[in-house]
Amino acid sequence: MELLAYTIVAGVATALTRFLAYFVFKNNTGSENLLYLQKNSGIVIMAILLVYAINSLNVSGVGLGVAVFCAILAIGLQLWRKNFLLSIALSTILYMLYMWAKAQGILDGFSGL
């Protein structure tokens, strides 16, 4: 029963965060601050995700190099194409392919991988 209460509270809080902005900002569609947030919030969110992902990495040597390369790839793709889905998806796929190859032993012949 306690879990149900937590789930309901989390659902209501999520719904409020989604819909409250429409009611608060419905009369301020031309606001400079709102336009600035709309233009720059995506890159800020992406930067936070990259810092969070890199912060929890426990790799060394080439593994760290691959992780940093993927982060640079994500930032470079974003600056070039201005497409968050493309930036995050390609760098994530590349890193997952590296991790898969490492787990399968494909990279065992390479020193430091």
Side-chain angles (χ1 to χ4, degrees):
M1 189 54 95
E2 185 177 346
L3 184 60
L4 178 63
Y6 289 144
T7 305
I8 291 171
V9 169
V12 169
T14 301
L16 280 175
T17 59
R18 302 276 190 237
F19 301 122
L20 193 59
Y22 291 107
F23 297 113
V24 171
F25 295 115
K26 69 180 178 182
N27 295 329
N28 295 330
T29 56
S31 169
E32 276 187 41
N33 292 335
L34 194 57
L35 292 174
Y36 178 80
L37 284 174
Q38 180 183 2
K39 181 180 176 186
N40 297 312
S41 64
I43 195 74
V44 171
I45 292 169
M46 189 172 157
I48 291 170
L49 287 173
L50 282 171
V51 168
Y52 179 75
I54 291 174
N55 185 32
S56 64
L57 284 177
N58 188 13
V59 294
S60 61
V62 177
L64 179 60
V66 171
V68 171
F69 174 76
C70 289
I72 292 170
L73 177 68
I75 293 168
L77 281 171
Q78 175 56 35
L79 293 174
W80 176 48
R81 301 298 294 173
K82 302 211 182 326
N83 185 331
F84 291 110
L85 182 60
L86 177 70
S87 304
I88 293 172
L90 283 180
S91 58
T92 301
I93 289 169
L94 180 66
Y95 188 71
M96 288 296 114
L97 284 173
Y98 165 74
M99 294 303 289
W100 173 81
K102 185 176 177 183
Q104 296 297 317
I106 295 171
L107 302 174
D108 287 344
F110 300 97
S111 65
L113 295 178

